Amino acid sequence: MAEYRLLIDTSDEKGLVYTVSKILFEHNLNIESNSEYVDKEVNKFFMRTVLSGEFNKEKLLIDIKDALPNDARIKLSANSKKDIVILATKEAHCLGDILIRYVSGELNANIKAVVANHDTLQDLVEKFNIPFELVSHENLSREDHEDLVIKAIDKYNPELIILAKYMRILNPKFVTHYQGKILNIHHSFLPAFIGANPYKQAFNRGVKIIGATAHYVTDDLDEGPIISQDVVRVDHTYSWQNMRDAGRNVEKVVLSNALSLLLQDRVFVYGNKTVIL
Amino acid sequence: MAEYRLLIDTSDEKGLVYTVSKILFEHNLNIESNSEYVDKEVNKFFMRTVLSGEFNKEKLLIDIKDALPNDARIKLSANSKKDIVILATKEAHCLGDILIRYVSGELNANIKAVVANHDTLQDLVEKFNIPFELVSHENLSREDHEDLVIKAIDKYNPELIILAKYMRILNPKFVTHYQGKILNIHHSFLPAFIGANPYKQAFNRGVKIIGATAHYVTDDLDEGPIISQDVVRVDHTYSWQNMRDAGRNVEKVVLSNALSLLLQDRVFVYGNKTVIL
Amino acid sequence: MAEYRLLIDTSDEKGLVYTVSKILFEHNLNIESNSEYVDKEVNKFFMRTVLSGEFNKEKLLIDIKDALPNDARIKLSANSKKDIVILATKEAHCLGDILIRYVSGELNANIKAVVANHDTLQDLVEKFNIPFELVSHENLSREDHEDLVIKAIDKYNPELIILAKYMRILNPKFVTHYQGKILNIHHSFLPAFIGANPYKQAFNRGVKIIGATAHYVTDDLDEGPIISQDVVRVDHTYSWQNMRDAGRNVEKVVLSNALSLLLQDRVFVYGNKTVIL
Amino acid sequence: MAEYRLLIDTSDEKGLVYTVSKILFEHNLNIESNSEYVDKEVNKFFMRTVLSGEFNKEKLLIDIKDALPNDARIKLSANSKKDIVILATKEAHCLGDILIRYVSGELNANIKAVVANHDTLQDLVEKFNIPFELVSHENLSREDHEDLVIKAIDKYNPELIILAKYMRILNPKFVTHYQGKILNIHHSFLPAFIGANPYKQAFNRGVKIIGATAHYVTDDLDEGPIISQDVVRVDHTYSWQNMRDAGRNVEKVVLSNALSLLLQDRVFVYGNKTVIL
């Protein structure tokens, strides 16, 4: 029996749980799990329900839409593999972690292609029989390069774009084109060490803990809604390269965890925050 | 407007969320927050709802009871201070942490008394104008001593008994007398290092991480349902005393966190496990 | 037999370990433990040795000084209680944690006094028979207030000043007066959320982890050398007040850990970094 | 200029640091870094020194041996790639993590071969042009199978054997054959959940944290000296499969960290403990 995930976010009002659970009951659906969250401060209601059963999808969505406030956003997503495209530059650790999960059958996604601005990772990607699209930025303006990247991605029509250490700043045009679909890993514990060379910054500041942050990409560089973060201890014996090496373990795990949350449709975004149900 | 917590656990069946949310709606209650969890394997449903509004408590409880399966357990608890009694022996760190929270107004509880089998902590407790009941175990059988402890506790009729490093093994009689009301901190990452001197055991085993575990007390020593755990890194330079000192930070934080969960009525117990909503 | 800690920092050159260990050997000293660190990038050598034995202190220091580079700094410190003064404002958690350690005999220090700009904590401090010096800032310029604070502190001639959530910005005059002697706890994972209300900043940024940082105070606000940091996970259900409450556990543990390092003479400072041996 | 690591462990006596540093000085060696540790309880001295310079290796070793107590063990190891063989069964995450590090040039080792008792991982290994030796255990006694595994390993004469989730119990003969050379990852926070199916055990016990442990293999199953451990939080919503999936992230990072320590010659073993310098 197929499983579906129903995601609702809407302005809050009394009786929403009752309203939605009544409709699900009337459609004879099984609730496998259910979570809600209300942000009182901004009067927002979030609900994620895992459903199973035989039902009329269009009818269900219409019934829910009719019963909810006008600003409600409703999403019904089957528990099936999502198509993704990965962007990378030269570093293998994040990409490699996803590839190993993929080949082990742990990743609930189809990797349609890897797009990169260097050919460093081509051999690795092709070992896994995944298309590798090299889009060099050499002799191109940022805009022209990005247009080519967009073209390379759009061939595959992915639901999600994963920036697995893609070391290029993105223009608003790119971000708008894939609104709400771009996951990035930033190699610092944001908002500490925004910008270039965070490990050098961390080394120079003499911190005792470093981290990594997976976030949705918005126009504001390093300012998108945070999905997942983790840290690791360092000490005075670490050079900035040692910090980078230690950080790589955190980066890959944080990115893979965030990707897993997205593939399970567990992340809501509002403002520059996430709700994870 | 008073806030209430409604806790339900019951065997699972279709429509429970709908059933309960309908009753709450009909009683004109505001749902401040709501969480459910279903354990499919054992077919159990858990729900914690924070309510506000004016309502008839008896009527609400009857309506819910009538609508739920026969084995349903329903608890309606006001958001008010719970009476607690703390048991201790000689160590100050867990008790002291609770006392500082208490005096800062951070603890949503009334500490009615501290009961101890040594007088080491008497001065500390009395600084805070809390009754200190010394029940020495000297020259007494375990049973006779425990009877005196029970008598000392029962004067205060507490909702919760907190074992803040109370270093005595409890008899089944004691545990049964306070069924589901005793919170203990064990100075290891259970189930590792059950029994006496866990820090010496950890030292001898050469572990690189030590921990602490807060759990409900059941007849089975160190086997009660776990509420909270945390850990801290150690290395080869730590003597067992260093491990103990490092462990104390973890013990006090884990115990205080678990106590806070209990004071918020967030912990369900089934079998030897907890669900925390 | 008394124990001493010998701390050396100097520009690096070949044979330093040999040179120093030879002198210690010739003075017939037992080395209880020994650690060195060399920062190749800045050519600095750090060494901490715990010594025991009967010896002529002046002679030892002269012998070492004569054998080392001209810029060498040498410190010989007995393993005895250091005098400290604590500064606080209204919050009890950091101060309380230190007081409980103090009364348990866990703290290798004499708390000579607590100086505060509010009377909120007076009752708590006086329970422990420690002088409480109220220096209100009302109707005073920052400079005039600080002069009074310095006067209050200097009566006790402390080796260390502990800012246990002292919520006043310090002038350069104050910092210079106690150069290298002031330990502060900042309620964020520096360098994230510098400045006022870090928990509100963290809440607004939607982070998934919050932290605390203990550091030496320098003229540059929140920019002093970091001694210790730790973090705790939060999620979307946390209000900023919940983050503050969760953060308090981290703050008090981080501050107490850093204080413990200072009391063991384990922290070297160079530039805006620390080496901890 | 080549870099060497000098490792010494010996019974402790006065003047050892002086003795060794004198010899290094006389051989005109640069000390890049130096760490010692003394375990007072068992009177053992450990020292790891990173050296650079031109020197006569045999002469240095003889000079040191002559100067130290009779029971001293001395090892001089060049900073070059060590040959390793990896043993695996069916799971890809630990092996895959090592392969990705290998292909990125992050691993200071030559992977000579992967030996497995199932063919599940053959495709993955061969993508990386590494010999895959299938040694099925079907229809073989444990002893006969192990003899074949030993034969398969010994072709490559490795310095280290890495058990990357090799799910077979090893006989004393095997362990003795590779004394002090076998690194294992155990999928629990040892000594909790020794033996089979630790994630099911953890699930049944209702723990709130799970972990992984990298250790040297000795005859005593799951009892070898621990090198590295780490943990991750879980809660009541985790099935045992979810715990296993979360645990895999920890397993691979812990194993890779421990391997990195071994490749840097940073681990001393004594009794069932490690000293990591």
Side-chain angles (χ1 to χ4, degrees):
Chain A
M1 195 158 48
E3 214 176 75
Y4 288 84
R5 295 143 188 174
L6 175 69
L7 279 77
I8 293 171
D9 73 280
T10 173
S11 57
D12 190 31
E13 59 179 39
K14 200 185 273 196
L16 284 177
V17 174
Y18 165 53
T19 301
V20 177
S21 61
K22 181 169 186 287
I23 294 171
L24 298 178
F25 185 73
E26 290 166 355
H27 279 254
N28 200 30
L29 283 156
N30 294 301
I31 297 181
E32 301 294 326
S33 74
N34 191 44
S35 310
E36 310 101 47
Y37 173 68
V38 176
D39 186 326
K40 292 277 167 196
E41 207 174 318
V42 298
N43 198 44
K44 288 276 286 176
F45 172 92
F46 304 89
M47 182 169 178
R48 178 183 181 270
T49 310
V50 179
L51 304 167
S52 63
E54 298 298 327
F55 64 105
N56 181 323
K57 265 164 264 178
E58 284 77 43
K59 181 76 169 64
L60 179 73
L61 287 170
I62 289 168
D63 287 355
I64 293 173
K65 193 161 184 44
D66 287 351
L68 293 184
N70 282 334
D71 67 349
R73 290 187 298 182
I74 304 158
K75 184 179 163 191
L76 186 66
S77 172
N79 178 11
S80 55
K81 294 197 175 191
K82 294 188 201 303
D83 289 346
I84 68 174
V85 165
I86 301 172
L87 269 64
T89 293
K90 289 179 173 178
E91 288 170 273
H93 58 290
C94 285
L95 173 62
D97 196 63
I98 296 172
L99 292 174
I100 295 294
R101 286 171 197 266
Y102 181 62
V103 84
S104 320
E106 271 185 60
L107 197 74
N108 199 20
N110 302 308
I111 305 179
K112 305 299 286 184
V114 173
V115 179
N117 58 324
H118 286 271
D119 63 3
T120 318
L121 299 167
Q122 182 156 7
D123 277 1
L124 176 63
V125 170
E126 290 179 354
K127 284 184 204 306
F128 293 85
N129 302 314
I130 293 168
F132 181 87
E133 304 269 352
L134 175 61
V135 186
S136 170
H137 60 274
E138 268 184 67
N139 304 317
L140 291 178
S141 72
R142 188 177 298 281
E143 286 69 24
D144 289 348
H145 177 247
E146 241 171 47
D147 285 344
L148 294 178
V149 173
I150 289 175
K151 200 178 284 183
I153 294 171
D154 283 353
K155 281 198 288 179
Y156 301 99
N157 194 29
E159 288 176 74
L160 290 172
I161 322 284
I162 314 304
L163 308 185
K165 303 284 290 181
Y166 180 65
M167 306 306 277
R168 304 272 302 168
I169 293 173
L170 298 169
N171 286 315
K173 182 181 166 190
F174 187 97
V175 174
T176 306
H177 189 70
Y178 301 110
Q179 193 67 48
K181 291 180 164 186
I182 316 174
L183 172 62
N184 184 43
I185 181 71
H186 185 79
H187 42 320
S188 90
F189 185 73
L190 287 176
F193 310 126
I194 285 172
N197 289 326
Y199 291 120
K200 274 192 191 165
Q201 291 183 57
F203 173 78
N204 288 330
R205 182 61 188 90
V207 293
K208 301 299 186 188
I209 288 178
I210 57 172
T213 304
H215 62 97
Y216 277 114
V217 175
T218 57
D219 279 357
D220 223 343
L221 182 66
D222 298 339
E223 290 291 340
I226 293 171
I227 298 166
S228 186
Q229 299 188 294
D230 207 351
V231 297
V232 65
R233 292 185 175 281
V234 294
D235 61 40
H236 62 266
T237 66
Y238 283 65
S239 65
W240 78 261
Q241 292 91 339
N242 294 148
M243 289 190 180
R244 181 198 59 201
D245 294 347
R248 281 181 173 156
N249 277 333
V250 184
E251 291 171 21
K252 72 185 176 198
V253 170
V254 167
L255 180 60
S256 285
N257 285 346
L259 177 54
S260 168
L261 292 171
L262 295 187
L263 295 176
Q264 296 173 68
D265 296 300
R266 296 184 56 181
V267 185
F268 295 80
V269 176
Y270 70 117
N272 68 335
K273 292 192 189 184
T274 60
V275 167
I276 297 174
L277 293 181
Chain B
M1 194 160 45
E3 215 176 73
Y4 288 84
R5 296 143 189 176
L6 176 69
L7 278 77
I8 293 171
D9 73 280
T10 172
S11 56
D12 190 31
E13 60 177 40
K14 200 183 272 196
L16 285 177
V17 174
Y18 165 52
T19 301
V20 176
S21 61
K22 182 169 186 286
I23 294 171
L24 299 178
F25 186 73
E26 289 167 355
H27 278 255
N28 201 30
L29 283 157
N30 295 301
I31 297 182
E32 300 295 326
S33 75
N34 191 43
S35 310
E36 311 101 46
Y37 173 67
V38 175
D39 187 326
K40 291 278 167 196
E41 207 176 319
V42 298
N43 199 45
K44 288 276 285 178
F45 172 91
F46 303 88
M47 183 170 180
R48 176 183 183 271
T49 309
V50 179
L51 304 166
S52 63
E54 297 298 327
F55 65 107
N56 181 324
K57 265 163 268 177
E58 282 78 41
K59 181 74 170 65
L60 179 72
L61 287 170
I62 288 168
D63 287 355
I64 293 174
K65 192 160 186 43
D66 286 351
L68 292 184
N70 282 333
D71 67 347
R73 289 187 298 182
I74 305 157
K75 183 179 162 190
L76 187 65
S77 168
N79 178 9
S80 56
K81 296 199 175 189
K82 295 188 201 302
D83 290 345
I84 68 175
V85 165
I86 301 172
L87 269 63
T89 293
K90 289 179 173 179
E91 288 171 273
H93 58 289
C94 284
L95 173 63
D97 196 63
I98 297 172
L99 292 173
I100 296 293
R101 286 171 197 267
Y102 181 64
V103 83
S104 319
E106 271 184 61
L107 197 74
N108 200 20
N110 303 308
I111 305 178
K112 304 300 286 186
V114 173
V115 179
N117 58 322
H118 285 270
D119 64 2
T120 318
L121 300 166
Q122 182 156 7
D123 277 2
L124 176 63
V125 170
E126 290 179 354
K127 284 183 202 308
F128 293 84
N129 302 316
I130 292 168
F132 181 87
E133 304 270 350
L134 174 62
V135 186
S136 170
H137 59 276
E138 269 183 66
N139 304 319
L140 290 179
S141 71
R142 188 176 299 279
E143 286 69 25
D144 288 348
H145 177 247
E146 240 171 50
D147 285 343
L148 294 178
V149 173
I150 289 176
K151 200 179 281 183
I153 294 171
D154 282 353
K155 280 199 288 182
Y156 300 99
N157 194 27
E159 287 176 74
L160 289 171
I161 322 284
I162 314 304
L163 308 186
K165 304 284 290 179
Y166 180 65
M167 307 306 277
R168 302 272 302 169
I169 292 173
L170 298 170
N171 288 314
K173 182 181 167 189
F174 187 97
V175 175
T176 305
H177 188 71
Y178 300 110
Q179 193 67 47
K181 292 180 162 184
I182 316 174
L183 171 63
N184 185 42
I185 181 71
H186 185 80
H187 42 321
S188 90
F189 185 71
L190 287 176
F193 309 127
I194 285 171
N197 290 324
Y199 291 120
K200 276 192 189 164
Q201 291 183 56
F203 173 77
N204 288 330
R205 182 62 188 89
V207 294
K208 301 299 186 186
I209 289 179
I210 56 172
T213 304
H215 62 96
Y216 277 114
V217 175
T218 56
D219 278 358
D220 224 342
L221 181 68
D222 298 340
E223 291 292 339
I226 293 171
I227 298 166
S228 187
Q229 298 187 294
D230 208 351
V231 297
V232 67
R233 291 185 177 282
V234 294
D235 62 39
H236 62 265
T237 65
Y238 284 64
S239 65
W240 77 260
Q241 292 90 340
N242 294 148
M243 288 191 180
R244 181 197 60 202
D245 293 349
R248 280 179 172 156
N249 276 333
V250 183
E251 292 171 21
K252 74 187 177 198
V253 170
V254 167
L255 180 62
S256 284
N257 285 347
L259 177 54
S260 168
L261 292 171
L262 295 187
L263 295 176
Q264 295 173 68
D265 296 301
R266 296 185 57 183
V267 184
F268 294 80
V269 176
Y270 70 118
N272 69 332
K273 293 191 187 182
T274 60
V275 167
I276 297 174
L277 294 180
Chain C
M1 194 158 47
E3 214 176 73
Y4 287 83
R5 296 143 189 175
L6 175 69
L7 278 78
I8 293 170
D9 73 280
T10 172
S11 56
D12 190 31
E13 59 178 40
K14 200 183 275 197
L16 284 177
V17 173
Y18 165 54
T19 302
V20 177
S21 61
K22 181 169 186 285
I23 295 171
L24 298 178
F25 186 74
E26 290 166 354
H27 279 254
N28 199 28
L29 283 157
N30 295 300
I31 297 182
E32 302 294 326
S33 75
N34 191 44
S35 310
E36 310 100 47
Y37 173 68
V38 175
D39 187 327
K40 292 277 167 195
E41 207 175 319
V42 297
N43 198 44
K44 288 277 284 180
F45 172 92
F46 303 89
M47 183 169 178
R48 176 183 182 270
T49 309
V50 180
L51 304 165
S52 63
E54 297 298 327
F55 64 106
N56 181 325
K57 264 164 269 179
E58 284 77 44
K59 180 76 169 64
L60 179 73
L61 288 170
I62 289 168
D63 287 354
I64 293 173
K65 193 162 183 40
D66 287 350
L68 293 184
N70 281 333
D71 68 347
R73 290 187 299 183
I74 303 157
K75 185 179 162 189
L76 187 66
S77 171
N79 178 10
S80 55
K81 295 198 175 192
K82 295 190 200 300
D83 289 345
I84 67 175
V85 164
I86 301 172
L87 268 64
T89 293
K90 289 178 172 179
E91 289 170 273
H93 57 290
C94 284
L95 173 62
D97 196 64
I98 297 171
L99 291 174
I100 296 293
R101 287 172 196 266
Y102 181 63
V103 83
S104 319
E106 272 184 60
L107 198 73
N108 199 20
N110 303 308
I111 305 178
K112 305 297 288 183
V114 173
V115 179
N117 58 324
H118 285 271
D119 64 2
T120 318
L121 298 167
Q122 181 156 7
D123 277 1
L124 176 63
V125 170
E126 290 179 353
K127 284 185 204 306
F128 292 84
N129 302 315
I130 293 168
F132 182 88
E133 304 268 351
L134 175 61
V135 186
S136 170
H137 59 275
E138 269 184 67
N139 304 317
L140 291 177
S141 72
R142 187 176 300 279
E143 286 68 25
D144 288 348
H145 177 247
E146 239 171 48
D147 285 343
L148 294 179
V149 172
I150 288 175
K151 199 179 283 183
I153 294 171
D154 282 353
K155 278 199 291 182
Y156 301 98
N157 194 28
E159 287 176 74
L160 290 171
I161 322 284
I162 315 303
L163 308 187
K165 303 284 291 179
Y166 180 65
M167 306 307 277
R168 303 272 302 169
I169 293 173
L170 298 170
N171 288 314
K173 180 180 167 190
F174 187 96
V175 175
T176 305
H177 188 71
Y178 301 111
Q179 194 67 48
K181 291 180 164 185
I182 316 175
L183 171 63
N184 185 42
I185 181 73
H186 185 78
H187 43 320
S188 90
F189 184 74
L190 287 176
F193 310 126
I194 285 171
N197 289 325
Y199 291 119
K200 274 191 190 165
Q201 291 184 57
F203 173 78
N204 289 330
R205 182 61 188 89
V207 294
K208 302 298 186 187
I209 289 178
I210 57 172
T213 304
H215 62 96
Y216 277 113
V217 175
T218 56
D219 277 358
D220 224 341
L221 181 67
D222 299 338
E223 291 292 340
I226 294 171
I227 298 166
S228 186
Q229 298 189 293
D230 207 352
V231 297
V232 66
R233 292 184 176 281
V234 295
D235 61 39
H236 62 265
T237 65
Y238 283 64
S239 66
W240 77 262
Q241 292 91 340
N242 295 147
M243 288 190 181
R244 181 197 60 202
D245 293 349
R248 281 179 172 157
N249 277 333
V250 184
E251 292 171 20
K252 73 186 176 198
V253 170
V254 167
L255 180 61
S256 284
N257 285 346
L259 177 54
S260 168
L261 292 171
L262 296 186
L263 294 176
Q264 295 172 68
D265 296 300
R266 297 185 56 182
V267 185
F268 295 80
V269 176
Y270 69 118
N272 69 333
K273 293 192 189 183
T274 60
V275 167
I276 297 174
L277 294 180
Chain D
M1 193 159 46
E3 215 176 74
Y4 288 84
R5 296 144 188 172
L6 175 69
L7 279 77
I8 293 171
D9 73 280
T10 172
S11 56
D12 190 32
E13 59 177 41
K14 201 183 272 196
L16 284 177
V17 174
Y18 165 53
T19 301
V20 177
S21 61
K22 181 169 186 285
I23 295 171
L24 298 178
F25 185 73
E26 289 166 354
H27 279 254
N28 200 30
L29 284 157
N30 294 301
I31 296 182
E32 301 294 325
S33 74
N34 191 43
S35 310
E36 310 102 46
Y37 173 66
V38 176
D39 186 326
K40 292 277 168 196
E41 207 175 316
V42 297
N43 199 45
K44 289 277 284 177
F45 172 90
F46 303 89
M47 182 168 180
R48 176 184 183 270
T49 309
V50 180
L51 305 166
S52 63
E54 299 298 327
F55 65 106
N56 181 323
K57 266 164 265 179
E58 282 77 43
K59 180 77 169 65
L60 179 72
L61 287 170
I62 288 168
D63 287 356
I64 293 174
K65 192 159 185 45
D66 286 351
L68 292 184
N70 282 334
D71 67 348
R73 290 187 297 182
I74 304 157
K75 184 179 162 190
L76 187 67
S77 169
N79 178 11
S80 56
K81 295 199 175 189
K82 294 188 201 302
D83 291 344
I84 67 174
V85 165
I86 302 173
L87 268 63
T89 293
K90 289 178 173 180
E91 288 171 273
H93 57 289
C94 285
L95 173 62
D97 196 64
I98 296 172
L99 292 174
I100 296 294
R101 286 171 196 267
Y102 181 64
V103 84
S104 320
E106 269 184 61
L107 197 73
N108 200 21
N110 302 307
I111 305 179
K112 305 300 285 186
V114 173
V115 179
N117 57 323
H118 286 270
D119 64 3
T120 318
L121 300 166
Q122 181 156 7
D123 276 2
L124 176 63
V125 170
E126 290 178 353
K127 285 183 203 307
F128 292 86
N129 302 316
I130 293 168
F132 181 87
E133 305 268 352
L134 175 61
V135 186
S136 169
H137 60 276
E138 269 184 65
N139 304 318
L140 291 178
S141 72
R142 187 177 299 280
E143 284 69 25
D144 288 347
H145 178 247
E146 239 170 48
D147 285 343
L148 295 178
V149 173
I150 289 175
K151 200 179 284 184
I153 294 172
D154 282 353
K155 280 199 288 181
Y156 301 99
N157 193 26
E159 288 176 74
L160 290 171
I161 322 283
I162 315 303
L163 308 187
K165 303 285 289 180
Y166 179 65
M167 306 307 275
R168 303 272 302 169
I169 293 173
L170 298 170
N171 287 313
K173 182 181 166 190
F174 187 97
V175 175
T176 305
H177 188 71
Y178 301 111
Q179 194 66 49
K181 291 179 162 184
I182 316 174
L183 171 62
N184 185 42
I185 181 71
H186 185 79
H187 42 319
S188 90
F189 184 75
L190 286 177
F193 309 127
I194 286 172
N197 290 323
Y199 291 121
K200 274 192 191 165
Q201 291 183 55
F203 173 78
N204 288 330
R205 182 61 189 89
V207 294
K208 301 300 186 187
I209 289 178
I210 57 173
T213 304
H215 62 96
Y216 277 114
V217 175
T218 56
D219 278 358
D220 223 343
L221 181 68
D222 298 341
E223 290 292 340
I226 294 172
I227 298 166
S228 186
Q229 298 188 293
D230 208 351
V231 297
V232 66
R233 291 184 176 281
V234 295
D235 62 39
H236 63 266
T237 66
Y238 283 64
S239 66
W240 77 261
Q241 292 91 340
N242 294 148
M243 288 190 180
R244 181 197 58 202
D245 294 349
R248 281 180 173 155
N249 277 334
V250 183
E251 291 171 22
K252 74 187 176 199
V253 170
V254 168
L255 179 62
S256 286
N257 285 346
L259 177 54
S260 168
L261 292 171
L262 295 187
L263 295 175
Q264 295 174 67
D265 297 302
R266 297 184 57 182
V267 184
F268 294 81
V269 176
Y270 69 117
N272 69 333
K273 294 193 188 182
T274 60
V275 167
I276 297 174
L277 293 181

